[in-house]
Amino acid sequence: MRFYKSLSDKQIELFVFLFFSLVFVYFTSYQLFQPAFWDEVKVYFKPLWEFYNSPSAFIFDRAAHQFERPLGQNLIYYPTLLIFGKNIIAVRIQNLFMFIISHYFLYKSFTQNKSQSDKVCVLLLLFYLCTIPAYIIYTTQFVGAPQLFFLMSVCLFCIQFFPQRVLLIFFISLLMGSFRESSLAFALAIFAFWGVPGKRKPILISSLAIIIGFLLNLILTKIRTGDFFQHMALTENHLFQLSLFEALTKFHSHFLLSYKLLIPFSISVLLILRYFSFQSLKENKYFTFSFLIASLFILIFSFHKFAIVRYFWIATPFFLYLCFYSVIKLSQSNRVRIVLILVCFLSSFIIGDPHSETKESIFYRYIGPEYTLRNTEHRRAHQEILKKIKNNAPAGSEIITSWPFEAMLSTSHLGYGPYIPYKLNDIYDGEPFDFQKPDVILWNNYPEQ
């Protein structure tokens, strides 16, 4: 702690910026030029390209589908598309910059007028995040959660440091509300700062703007589809349909295990249970804010039938803040704090990067290759498969395939080579096998691939 206390706030901020810049460079080296992966292919990039081609047609004329996404997810990339066109690399670069800005603004917001120990807590959570492949793998991906985290971080930063910029706060919050339904968690959590002088007006404006953005998206969906709710999570009753045991199992496997949080969580719970008075936790508004954000995301997605690992992505930094803050505030000595923090980090490194996809691997059973650093190998394998097909099958060839290959073969903007007009049967869309003798059968054996 002595070395840390000798550093000025500016030196610490510079260190944080340089550290995440190094993370930026490291992950750029193997993520930036990778093609689109799985859900990016069909669920996110397809509507993004459609929006770029014609915003008015996208909003009013496009046929809706069960994977409908709020309008704001496309608006956030529209300026980039106007400059660079349908360029997946430009989207990746924008994601990486948003990753750095998000965590830097989170650090600034969580350390405003706080003690050195609080700053240590935030630095620890930032370091720990970089040991989690399931978290870090999505920094360059267009899948919703990292982008919403960016908007939340910018909004929180503006509320903390520029509360007088009400129009900016309103615009960012409006975009959040039209970006993803789970932004409503932020609209509730920011009231943790209600008692801070000068914050009530921006808090009310932000919360109201999020709700307005959410309602506008519902109205737009109603106009387009005839129903307020189009997403399969609501239309097919996948929300809050699990038992408590099933939800707790998902909380463990999809969150604690996949994000390497089991040991930090266990330590913090034991520490909190040991003490009867929690004034050091209750007085921290950032602790309350983090608790609300993490709890709401975990509550919703733990009870969601189709919730997958990346849905919990956005709760991870706030969850780690709860863990490390409880360790720092409730431990009785620096020696105990250091030991507990070392145990957390060592446990993360011992679990390691889940490279193994054998059935003996705990990661294989729960999350598959999409959430590991091996996902680049799968994308390269997909590139080789599609390259072989395109080199040998002429235009007009009849191909029976499935998600995600059908979408990969339908465009030239996803990193899988030039577009060739094939006749495709996507079995996941329930199409009949109308090919008597197909030229190619390309099967997807998820999650083994």
Side-chain angles (χ1 to χ4, degrees):
M1 287 278 191
R2 291 181 181 177
F3 171 73
Y4 184 85
K5 290 179 179 180
S6 67
L7 298 176
S8 66
D9 289 342
K10 292 295 183 183
Q11 288 173 322
I12 296 171
E13 289 178 18
L14 178 62
F15 171 77
V16 173
F17 177 78
L18 290 175
F19 173 74
F20 278 97
S21 295
L22 290 174
V23 173
F24 166 86
V25 172
Y26 173 73
F27 286 106
T28 296
S29 64
Y30 75 95
Q31 283 276 84
L32 183 59
F33 300 103
Q34 291 292 323
F37 191 57
W38 290 3
D39 271 6
E40 274 192 308
V41 170
K42 187 174 184 178
V43 180
Y44 291 92
F45 273 119
K46 184 178 180 180
L48 181 64
W49 303 149
E50 291 174 349
F51 179 78
Y52 166 73
N53 288 335
S54 176
S56 60
F58 178 89
I59 295 173
F60 298 108
D61 300 329
R62 183 179 61 99
H65 55 82
Q66 65 176 354
F67 292 107
E68 194 73 13
R69 289 296 183 265
L71 177 63
Q73 296 198 42
N74 300 313
L75 287 173
I76 195 173
Y77 287 102
Y78 189 58
T80 300
L81 300 182
L82 286 177
I83 298 172
F84 299 102
K86 291 181 182 178
N87 193 325
I88 190 174
I89 297 177
V91 174
R92 295 276 188 254
I93 292 174
Q94 181 175 335
N95 284 349
L96 285 162
F97 275 111
M98 288 194 297
F99 168 70
I100 294 176
I101 294 171
S102 299
H103 293 82
Y104 181 71
F105 278 4
L106 186 70
Y107 171 82
K108 287 285 291 182
S109 298
F110 272 51
T111 57
Q112 183 189 24
N113 302 323
K114 306 298 290 183
S115 66
Q116 295 286 34
S117 62
D118 298 312
K119 294 177 181 178
V120 170
C121 171
V122 182
L123 282 178
L124 286 172
L125 81 86
L126 293 177
F127 279 122
Y128 199 91
L129 289 174
C130 295
T131 71
I132 308 173
Y135 183 89
I136 213 73
I137 202 67
Y138 282 106
T139 59
T140 61
Q141 307 263 335
F142 178 33
V143 289
Q147 291 74 31
L148 178 58
F149 182 69
F150 166 74
L151 293 174
M152 286 172 50
S153 301
V154 173
C155 189
L156 182 62
F157 179 81
C158 290
I159 290 173
Q160 297 285 58
F161 292 93
F162 302 101
Q164 71 279 7
R165 306 281 187 179
V166 290
L167 288 179
L168 178 61
I169 292 171
F170 179 86
F171 174 76
I172 296 172
S173 301
L174 187 69
L175 186 58
M176 286 171 59
S178 65
F179 186 91
R180 211 165 178 85
E181 297 86 345
S182 50
S183 62
L184 293 172
F186 184 87
L188 173 62
I190 54 173
F191 280 91
F193 303 99
W194 184 253
V196 180
K199 297 294 190 294
R200 290 191 176 186
K201 185 177 181 179
I203 286 172
L204 283 174
I205 288 173
S206 177
S207 184
L208 181 62
I210 291 172
I211 295 172
I212 292 174
F214 173 74
L215 293 177
L216 287 175
N217 184 68
L218 290 184
I219 294 171
L220 180 61
T221 304
K222 174 69 174 178
I223 293 172
R224 292 187 58 247
T225 69
D227 194 353
F228 285 111
F229 300 105
Q230 179 64 23
H231 193 275
M232 59 188 297
L234 297 172
T235 59
E236 299 181 16
N237 296 320
H238 296 303
L239 196 60
F240 297 112
Q241 293 297 307
L242 302 182
S243 67
L244 179 60
F245 175 78
E246 290 171 324
L248 291 174
T249 301
K250 182 169 286 186
F251 171 67
H252 171 261
S253 63
H254 286 48
F255 188 55
L256 292 182
L257 178 63
S258 303
Y259 289 97
K260 302 185 178 185
L261 299 175
L262 184 58
I263 299 301
F265 173 73
S266 301
I267 290 174
S268 59
V269 167
L270 290 173
L271 283 170
I272 291 173
L273 291 177
R274 182 183 174 191
Y275 291 87
F276 294 100
S277 175
F278 312 121
Q279 291 305 116
S280 57
L281 302 181
K282 292 177 181 177
E283 292 174 354
N284 189 326
K285 297 185 183 299
Y286 299 94
F287 189 90
T288 305
F289 174 79
S290 296
F291 178 80
L292 288 171
I293 285 284
S295 299
L296 288 168
F297 274 87
I298 291 166
L299 175 66
I300 292 174
F301 294 126
S302 291
F303 284 91
H304 191 307
K305 276 188 179 180
F306 282 171
I308 54 180
V309 172
R310 71 164 182 263
Y311 289 3
F312 296 89
W313 190 94
I314 205 167
T316 311
F318 305 106
F319 197 85
L320 281 171
Y321 183 83
L322 303 178
C323 293
F324 284 119
Y325 190 77
S326 62
V327 167
I328 290 173
K329 285 298 182 181
L330 298 182
S331 300
Q332 294 179 325
S333 68
N334 278 338
R335 184 173 298 178
V336 173
R337 295 186 187 102
I338 291 171
V339 169
L340 293 178
I341 291 168
L342 284 175
V343 168
C344 291
F345 277 88
L346 286 175
S347 70
S348 179
F349 289 118
I350 289 172
I351 294 174
D353 176 18
H355 282 296
S356 173
E357 291 175 31
T358 63
K359 291 186 178 180
E360 288 72 32
S361 168
I362 56 175
F363 289 94
Y364 177 90
R365 293 199 301 272
Y366 290 121
I367 62 177
E370 182 178 359
Y371 311 99
T372 76
L373 296 180
R374 287 200 66 184
N375 78 81
T376 55
E377 297 176 22
H378 288 271
R379 283 186 275 183
R380 283 193 291 269
H382 292 169
Q383 282 180 310
E384 290 299 316
I385 291 169
L386 297 183
K387 180 180 178 181
K388 182 176 181 180
I389 291 174
K390 291 180 178 182
N391 287 341
N392 291 278
S397 296
E398 298 178 340
I399 300 176
I400 291 178
T401 185
S402 63
W403 168 87
F405 297 120
E406 181 271 338
M408 292 175 180
L409 289 167
S410 300
T411 179
S412 61
H413 299 293
L414 296 174
Y416 292 98
Y419 169 72
I420 298 177
Y422 293 123
K423 297 177 182 178
L424 304 172
N425 261 161
D426 185 350
I427 62 169
Y428 281 158
D429 285 342
E431 297 177 0
F433 289 104
D434 54 10
F435 301 153
Q436 296 299 317
K437 187 178 180 182
D439 299 290
V440 179
I441 298 176
L442 179 56
W443 184 254
N444 171 14
N445 186 26
Y446 175 86
E448 292 86 350
Q449 289 288 299

